[in-house]
């Protein structure tokens, strides 16, 4: 006998205390199952997780549109709306719990939230998914995968639900190696320099940054257009106005690089020198970026390769910066205190203020700066 469910859905709450009368109920069978959790997808489908499986419901038509009885054993937090797509990514490990390192130890299932159609199942394809990145600009999901000890970059097309390509990247890590790599990634994610990430460039191809390595892949075919390795981890990257030059810094180095987007070749005889160790790049205007480092910051014209100020603004380690019409407020953030520094439009420091306690947030207003720490506002 086929087992089906009755889902009682409380979809409207007229007051903070629910009186117990559902706005409507949906009968899908003869067994009453209380939903464990509910989540609305980007497409509007109501996703309901139960002990018996996953159910997709059209809340407007008040009807079930699909059921997945085999998808069980995960929490609401492990059912992820993939940004810029109609898909749900379901991630869970053998214990059924999501953790910071589970991406390299887990099973991944991707389904279309509107139809319930399965797009990808790492267990059935015998693939381990080590990481995944949504690329809404080109309507795709990029995954780092390992199959038969071979690592690959795999691209899934949101429009067709099919794998567009899978490009081998050499020998993959073992399961234990992937776990330790993920643990290292958790530590590095708390630092200023990103270690691994993709970026869709101006020509809708993919720049993949992985530690010291940067490569460019054709988004249509997966072909490697160029592949370049440096001596230190690559930080954030930015492109210039005509989108043909890539700028980036490296962890622990006082240099800023400029390379060609087309072929990866260096554009300068030598990298630009900074007055401190590179920290970050922040957009400032159409042709300018803020270059932040361990001793302050400056403004770089990305077309002429020149800095706006002869001397950098001296405000110490620049972890964050807010832009004003008449200057900048830079923040040096430590565990138990922060220093806020005001710099004018000529790059001159006007004043600084030490804020005691762990800084949670701050912002600038026409009347001054407000900040919030763990014990003061």
């Amino acid at each position: 006998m086929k087992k089906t469910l009755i889902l009682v859905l409380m979809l409207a709450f007229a007051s903070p205390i629910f009186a117990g009368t559902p706005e409507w109920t949906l009968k899908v069978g003869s067994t009453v199952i209380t939903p464990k959790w509910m989540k609305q997808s980007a497409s509007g489908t109501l996703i309901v997780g139960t002990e018996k499986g996953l159910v997709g419901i059209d809340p407007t038509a008040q009807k079930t549109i699909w059921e997945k009885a085999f998808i069980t054993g995960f929490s609401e937090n492990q059912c992820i709306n993939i940004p810029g797509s109609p898909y749900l990514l379901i991630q869970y490990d053998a214990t059924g719990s999501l953790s910071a390192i589970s991406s390299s130890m887990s099973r991944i299932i991707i389904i279309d939230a509107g139809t319930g159609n399965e797009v990808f199942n790492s267990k059935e394809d015998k693939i381990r998914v080590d990481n995944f990145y949504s690329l809404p600009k080109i309507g795709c999901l990029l995954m780092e995968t390992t199959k038969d000890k071979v690592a690959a970059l795999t691209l899934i097309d949101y429009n067709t639900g099919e794998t567009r390509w899978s490009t081998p990247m050499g020998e993959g890590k073992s399961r234990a190696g992937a776990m330790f790599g993920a643990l290292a990634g958790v530590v590095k994610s708390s630092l200023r320099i990103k270690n691994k990430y993709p970026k869709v460039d101006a020509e809708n191809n993919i720049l993949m940054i992985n530690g010291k390595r940067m490569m460019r892949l054709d988004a249509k075919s997966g072909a490697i257009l160029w592949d370049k390795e440096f001596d230190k981890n690559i930080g954030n990257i930015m492109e210039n106005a005509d989108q043909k030059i890539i700028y980036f810094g490296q962890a622990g180095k006082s240099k800023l690089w400029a390379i060609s987007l087309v072929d990866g070749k260096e554009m300068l005889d030598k990298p630009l020198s900074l007055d401190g160790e590179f920290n970050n790049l922040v957009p400032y205007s159409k042709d300018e970026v803020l270059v932040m480092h361990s001793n302050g910051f400056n403004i770089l014209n990305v077309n002429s390769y020149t800095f706006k100020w002869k001397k950098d603004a001296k405000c110490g380690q620049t972890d964050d910066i807010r832009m004003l019409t008449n200057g900048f407020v830079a923040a040096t953030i430590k565990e138990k205190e922060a220093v806020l520094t005001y710099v004018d439009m000529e790059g001159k420091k006007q004043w600084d203020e030490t804020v005691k306690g762990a800084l949670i947030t701050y912002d600038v207003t026409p009347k001054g700066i407000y900040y919030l720490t763990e014990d003061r506002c």
Side-chain angles (χ1 to χ4, degrees):
M1 180 180 295
K2 183 180 178 180
K3 292 184 177 179
T4 51
L5 313 174
I6 296 175
L7 296 175
V8 181
L9 305 177
M10 289 60 167
L11 298 180
F13 300 84
S15 65
I17 301 176
F18 182 60
T21 303
E23 179 164 318
W24 52 268
T25 64
L26 180 63
K27 184 174 182 179
V28 195
S30 58
T31 305
V32 175
I33 297 292
T34 302
K36 296 174 68 176
W37 54 264
M38 290 181 283
K39 170 181 286 190
Q40 189 164 27
S41 73
S43 62
T45 304
L46 184 65
I47 310 301
V48 183
T50 77
E51 294 178 357
K52 299 296 184 179
L54 202 63
V55 181
I57 293 171
D58 182 335
T60 302
Q62 302 178 14
K63 66 177 183 178
T64 299
I65 52 180
W66 53 262
E67 295 180 66
K68 294 289 182 182
F70 66 92
I71 303 181
T72 59
F74 61 93
S75 69
E76 178 183 1
N77 292 334
Q78 293 165 270
C79 181
I80 304 166
N81 279 309
I82 300 177
S85 83
Y87 297 143
L88 296 171
L89 186 145
I90 299 163
Q91 177 189 32
Y92 56 99
D93 57 25
T95 64
S97 61
L98 183 68
S99 67
I101 64 171
S102 67
S103 63
S104 62
M105 302 290 288
S106 64
R107 178 184 175 191
I108 299 291
I109 300 174
I110 299 173
I111 62 173
D112 187 315
T115 65
N117 293 335
E118 185 177 299
V119 174
F120 178 83
N121 189 323
S122 61
K123 183 177 181 180
E124 292 183 3
D125 294 333
K126 297 181 179 179
I127 294 174
R128 188 182 75 236
V129 177
D130 297 317
N131 220 328
F132 47 87
Y133 314 89
S134 180
L135 306 177
K137 184 179 177 181
I138 57 173
C140 293
L141 180 73
L142 182 68
M143 299 191 298
E144 293 180 279
T145 60
T146 301
K147 183 176 182 179
D148 298 328
K149 298 182 180 180
V150 176
L153 287 175
T154 300
L155 195 73
I156 294 178
D157 191 310
Y158 289 154
N159 293 321
T160 64
E162 297 179 353
T163 298
R164 185 182 294 181
W165 47 258
S166 186
T167 300
M169 291 287 131
E171 185 177 355
K173 294 181 180 179
S174 65
R175 185 171 293 273
M179 180 185 71
F180 287 116
L183 277 170
V186 173
V187 175
K188 289 173 183 173
S189 67
S190 65
L191 303 179
R192 300 180 183 91
I193 299 295
K194 292 182 180 179
N195 180 250
K196 182 188 294 185
Y197 61 96
K199 178 180 173 66
V200 176
D201 65 32
E203 297 178 351
N204 287 336
N205 290 315
I206 300 170
L207 290 167
M208 187 67 195
I209 290 80
N210 188 350
K212 304 174 184 178
R213 186 181 181 188
M214 183 190 302
M215 69 172 64
R216 189 180 188 221
L217 298 103
D218 187 307
K220 294 181 179 179
S221 67
I224 298 175
L225 302 176
W226 53 261
D227 190 351
K228 196 173 182 68
E229 188 161 346
F230 297 85
D231 59 342
K232 294 285 186 179
N233 284 346
I234 299 166
N236 292 348
I237 66 174
M238 296 194 71
E239 299 170 74
N240 72 342
D242 63 9
Q243 310 292 328
K244 297 298 181 183
I245 302 173
I246 303 169
Y247 287 89
F248 65 92
Q250 295 173 276
K253 299 197 74 172
S254 302
K255 304 290 182 182
L256 193 70
W257 296 78
I259 65 174
S260 167
L261 174 67
V262 176
D263 55 20
K265 293 182 179 179
E266 296 176 25
M267 301 297 294
L268 304 172
D269 293 334
K270 60 180 181 179
L272 297 172
S273 296
L274 306 178
D275 287 347
E277 293 182 0
F278 175 78
N279 184 0
N280 203 358
L281 295 173
V282 177
Y284 180 60
S285 69
K286 178 184 176 183
D287 300 316
E288 296 174 312
V289 295
L290 295 173
V291 183
M292 300 158 56
H293 55 72
S294 59
N295 290 320
F297 68 96
N298 207 328
I299 301 172
L300 176 73
N301 185 300
V302 295
N303 295 317
S304 64
Y305 312 110
T306 57
F307 286 105
K308 184 171 184 176
W309 305 318
K310 290 183 178 180
K311 293 184 178 181
D312 292 3
K314 301 294 184 182
C315 49
Q317 170 68 46
T318 306
D319 298 309
D320 190 66
I321 195 164
R322 306 293 166 92
M323 290 164 267
L324 309 171
T325 56
N326 59 347
F328 309 84
V329 176
T332 300
I333 303 173
K334 301 178 182 179
E335 184 177 357
K336 294 296 183 181
E337 70 175 25
V339 179
L340 301 177
T341 304
Y342 173 66
V343 175
D344 66 20
M345 296 301 290
E346 303 302 318
K348 306 296 184 182
K349 183 174 78 171
Q350 298 300 311
W351 55 260
D352 59 33
E353 180 74 21
T354 299
V355 177
K356 296 297 183 182
L359 183 66
I360 297 173
T361 187
Y362 76 102
D363 210 341
V364 293
T365 73
K367 294 185 177 181
I369 300 172
Y370 77 80
Y371 65 87
L372 177 65
T373 68
E374 57 188 354
D375 57 10
R376 187 180 183 189
C377 180

